[in-house]
Amino acid sequence: MLSKPTKSQTSALIAVSGGLDSLVLLDLLSKKMTSKVIPNDPLCKLIKDFVQQNNLTKLELAYIDHNQRTDTNRDIEVIKKVGAASNLTLHIHKLDLKPEVAEHQARAMRYQALEKIKKDHRLEHIITAHHADDVLETAIINLTRGTGPKGLSSLRHHPDGIWRPYLSKFEQSTFITKQDLLDYAKQNHLTWNEDSTNKSAKYFRNRVRSKLSLITDSEKLQFLNLLAKNQSGTLEASIVTNLLIDGLKTEQESSYNRQPFLELDQETRAHLIHHLL
């Protein structure tokens, strides 16, 4: 009888901020990877399954200093303490950002820094601690910018790209919220440092977060279920869209055949143009 092939071991770089979300994820991942016993509630079971399915065996930490606060030393102290307890390597990178930098620019530079650290240290994946509340905030932000269905599911777990364990079963309506993380942190006596900019009205995301805090848990669940259904449908639609676009391409780069495009119905043409732009 042939033996079943074993899944290759994988390594990852986890982005840690010193805040609640990433420290809870780090605690769970490190416990599972070192075979420590963790509870079997939905949050812990999700991370257990994630580590086992991906055979995650090596983890390193990255702290990206955005150069927007004077108290980042508090973040680093918290992260160093947690990293040392789990014997994990920590990489610290400081960005050269101006005070007036836009949120999307800071995010782009943060991911560029993470990619460089990952490549330099020969790691395979980047892990972030985005959760269901982040998905909801991102969907609202994108709606205000006139997004199509794709923008409502832009923040997701990518098995072949950026790993977001909290969102790994979002499409199956397994929602890990900020409250779940807070409950875990309190039960396990974790300490974290709250980013002093998280409550600043200067940032659009913070203003959206403040508004969403007014909705009930039931309303939030309804919204999350809608986004989960949209995410699944958008993935299927994206596959069809890419097939249509591939069929319109010419041999020249970024050039498309006009006639077969005009033969499509108006709604499909509008969708393809929106997708391309």
Side-chain angles (χ1 to χ4, degrees):
M1 178 183 287
L2 293 173
S3 60
K4 202 173 183 178
T6 57
K7 186 176 178 66
S8 60
Q9 297 180 343
T10 56
S11 60
L13 178 72
I14 178 172
V16 285
S17 66
L20 171 71
D21 307 348
S22 57
L23 284 184
V24 168
L25 182 57
L26 174 58
D27 187 73
L28 282 164
L29 288 173
S30 59
K31 281 180 178 176
K32 178 55 190 170
M33 289 170 60
T34 53
S35 301
K36 291 182 181 178
V37 177
I38 58 177
N40 205 36
D41 57 64
L43 169 60
C44 296
K45 186 177 186 307
L46 180 74
I47 301 304
K48 280 182 186 177
D49 292 346
F50 181 84
V51 171
Q52 290 173 345
Q53 289 167 7
N54 293 286
N55 200 16
L56 181 60
T57 57
K58 182 180 180 181
L59 191 65
E60 296 188 11
L61 319 181
Y63 176 77
I64 308 300
D65 185 347
H66 292 77
N67 195 30
Q68 301 291 297
R69 297 187 283 126
T70 58
D71 60 350
T72 54
N73 60 305
R74 296 179 186 174
D75 298 337
I76 295 171
E77 287 174 9
V78 170
I79 296 166
K80 280 184 175 179
K81 183 178 179 181
V82 176
S86 302
N87 197 28
L88 298 173
T89 301
L90 170 62
H91 308 282
I92 300 174
H93 182 90
K94 189 167 185 175
L95 299 175
D96 184 21
L97 299 179
K98 304 301 180 186
E100 65 277 7
V101 67
E103 290 177 75
H104 71 277
Q105 292 173 320
R107 181 173 60 252
M109 291 187 70
R110 178 169 67 250
Y111 278 107
Q112 286 174 10
L114 290 170
E115 283 288 349
K116 186 177 188 307
I117 295 170
K118 183 192 78 170
K119 183 177 179 181
D120 289 348
H121 297 275
R122 298 181 180 181
L123 301 168
E124 296 168 274
H125 290 273
I126 291 171
I127 292 179
T128 70
H130 291 100
H131 48 76
D133 293 70
D134 294 317
V135 174
L136 185 52
E137 292 168 10
T138 301
I140 297 295
I141 289 169
N142 287 344
L143 276 173
T144 66
R145 294 171 177 164
T147 188
K150 189 175 181 180
L152 297 180
S153 58
S154 58
L155 184 60
R156 61 194 302 165
H157 168 65
H158 296 274
D160 298 320
I162 295 175
W163 280 357
R164 297 186 171 105
Y166 293 146
L167 304 180
S168 57
K169 293 184 179 179
F170 186 88
E171 290 181 19
Q172 288 81 46
S173 296
T174 298
F175 305 130
I176 302 302
T177 67
K178 187 82 169 185
Q179 188 60 51
D180 294 322
L181 305 184
L182 186 59
D183 291 343
Y184 176 89
K186 288 180 177 178
Q187 291 165 9
N188 291 273
H189 310 292
L190 300 184
T191 58
W192 64 92
N193 185 47
E194 194 67 37
D195 187 335
S196 57
T197 65
N198 278 348
K199 294 183 179 179
S200 172
K202 169 185 174 183
Y203 301 103
F204 184 36
R205 182 174 290 274
N206 290 349
R207 299 197 296 273
V208 170
R209 185 175 299 152
S210 177
K211 294 290 186 182
L212 287 174
S213 68
L214 302 176
I215 69 175
T216 66
D217 290 342
S218 176
E219 289 170 330
K220 179 189 285 187
L221 183 59
Q222 289 180 35
F223 286 134
L224 289 174
N225 275 312
L226 285 171
L227 292 173
K229 290 177 181 178
N230 174 75
Q231 196 170 96
S232 179
T234 300
L235 181 60
E236 295 175 6
S238 181
I239 294 171
V240 175
T241 299
N242 288 327
L243 287 172
L244 282 170
I245 289 175
D246 287 343
L248 296 173
K249 286 181 178 178
T250 67
E251 294 181 358
Q252 297 178 350
E253 187 177 353
S254 300
S255 178
Y256 303 90
N257 287 308
R258 184 169 181 270
Q259 189 54 45
F261 173 78
L262 293 175
E263 292 173 0
L264 298 170
D265 63 86
Q266 185 176 355
E267 187 175 349
T268 302
R269 293 201 304 267
H271 174 71
L272 292 182
I273 290 173
H274 187 281
H275 182 86
L276 289 169
L277 294 177

